Structure formats: C-alpha cells, structure tokens
Amino acid sequence: MTRTETIPTERRSWSVDWPEYAPTDITPPELLASALAHEVPDWAEAAPTPADVPDWPQRMGAALVPFQLDARGWPLHPQGRTGRAGRNLGRWGESAAADPIVVAGTGRARQLLLITRDDIEEEAISGGMLDPGETALDALARELREETGLDLAGHRPVILGKGVVDDWRNTDNAWVASVSALYWLPVPVTAVAGDDAADANWWPFGSLGELDAAITAAGRTLYAAHRPLLQLALDHLNQG
C-alpha cells in the first residue's frame, strides 16, 4: 500500500537547492480542484490548493510539530522533501491524529491490543484524526471506543510523544502528525472491532521481535509506520 519515492538524504532538507526536483502527485480524483468544485467529501476541506486556506497562522500555532511556509505561502513537511506532491488527506499542512497504545499485564504475560485496519488489512494501533475542536485526550478515548469498544475515558494515559507519522498519504504539503499515549491495564479485557477496524486482538508484547513473530505466525503483517510508536511504549514500560 505504501508509495515510496527515495529522496537522497543530502537533498531532503528544504534549505538545499534542487531545481530539478519533481515529486509525484498522489492527489486522488475526489480531491482534485475540478471535483471539489462540485462536491467536497465530508472528511476533507474544500481548499483545492494551500493558497486557498485562510488560517495558516492559527494552524501553525496549534501544530503538534512546528512547520514553515514556503515563498508561495504553502506548508512544508517538517522533515523535508517526501518525493510526493498534492493532498491525499483531509487537510493541507498538518492533520493531527491520536494513537492510543493499550497494554495489559506485566512481564511475560504482557500483551498489546491491535486492530486489523480495514483499509490496508494490517495490524495497527487503533487511532485516527482529531475532530474539529477536539482535544488529543478526547480523541484518544473516542478512537478506542469506536474501534475496539473499550471505554477508557476514565483512565489517564501516559503521553509518549508527538511527532510526524510515516504515513503513506504524506506529501510535501500535507502530512499526519500524532500524539501517542500509553494506557496500561492489569489484565486484557474484551475488545470488539468496530468503525475502521476489521478485527481486534491481543498480542504478546515482550518485545517488537516477539510481537513480529506472533503476527507473522498468524499470517498477518504489522503496520510499519507504528513500529516507532510501539518501541516508545516498550521503552517506557521497560524503565519500570
């Protein structure tokens, strides 16, 4: 599912001059200007280009990961060139997301809750985009409830970090950044897949290697973009 255009490390930074740079446009048909003029998907903003977005100062001030605008006033991916252009997300610039990581048990009995995403059919952390005006904590609890049936609104998670997610939809001018948080439960509880999840299961979580082995043995695949977030969770858990 992931599109990858290799950008040489020495040319990734926006400060490096690269006149020949020609990223691949991955804008889907429903987000092209001609389509937006007739109908705007309920998950997307109507702006056909970043020049049509009126609130860049507010977006920059609220961003999980700071970013800059180029000479045209277009947002630039915080980590540099991606090799991809256009927009395959709801918003130009940063799309803020919440990724709740739910772990149960300790030691050899420690387990991790993952969903099977119905869009890419891979095992992943439940999570998704923040709704307008929604806080990260509210989004974490909502996504868990919608995708796994777990109501952990009364739990106070450990915020692990904020960062850009290596999402296949990221482009030079539209990307996903996420708040990742760790919920710990004494024992696994029943989870029921819902919303964007095709399945929900608990997996052994002593290490990423153990998790990989279990998922592979079941004939499934771990969503690669979530590996760094899971390692953050393991690092935190192993400090105790």
Side-chain angles (χ1 to χ4, degrees), residues 2 32 44-45 47-48 55 72-73 96 134 157 164 172 181 186 207 211:
T2 302
L32 294 175
E45 65 180 346
D55 62 343
R72 302 171 296 172
E134 187 177 40
V164 175
D172 289 352
S207 66
L211 177 65

Side-chain angles (χ1 to χ4, degrees), residues 126-164:
S126 60
M129 303 300 178
L130 272 63
D131 289 338
E134 187 177 40
T135 67
L137 283 175
D138 287 343
L140 288 162
R142 175 181 56 78
E143 288 291 344
L144 270 177
R145 187 171 57 253
E146 291 177 352
E147 296 187 342
T148 70
L150 268 63
D151 188 352
L152 298 184
H155 291 66
R156 191 75 179 180
V158 174
I159 303 300
L160 296 173
K162 305 175 183 179
V164 175

Side-chain angles (χ1 to χ4, degrees), residues 51-184:
D52 301 297
V53 173
D55 62 343
W56 283 121
Q58 290 83 355
R59 294 191 187 196
M60 295 173 72
L64 298 176
V65 179
F67 65 91
Q68 302 297 320
L69 304 180
D70 66 14
R72 302 171 296 172
W74 288 33
L76 295 174
H77 191 292
Q79 296 176 341
R81 296 180 175 96
T82 66
R84 297 178 293 274
R87 172 169 67 112
N88 197 7
L89 290 162
R91 290 160 58 92
W92 290 103
E94 180 184 278
S95 288
D99 287 312
I101 302 171
V102 182
V103 175
T106 59
R108 293 180 179 274
R110 191 163 65 198
Q111 296 185 58
L112 170 72
L113 179 62
L114 294 177
I115 63 167
T116 305
R117 285 178 47 163
D118 60 8
D119 57 347
I120 57 175
E121 299 181 349
E122 294 183 351
E123 305 308 296
I125 302 164
S126 60
M129 303 300 178
L130 272 63
D131 289 338
E134 187 177 40
T135 67
L137 283 175
D138 287 343
L140 288 162
R142 175 181 56 78
E143 288 291 344
L144 270 177
R145 187 171 57 253
E146 291 177 352
E147 296 187 342
T148 70
L150 268 63
D151 188 352
L152 298 184
H155 291 66
R156 191 75 179 180
V158 174
I159 303 300
L160 296 173
K162 305 175 183 179
V164 175
V165 178
D166 185 19
D167 193 281
W168 67 276
R169 297 164 294 182
N170 288 355
T171 70
D172 289 352
N173 308 116
W175 59 90
V176 179
S178 172
V179 174
S180 57
L182 174 64
Y183 291 85
W184 181 83

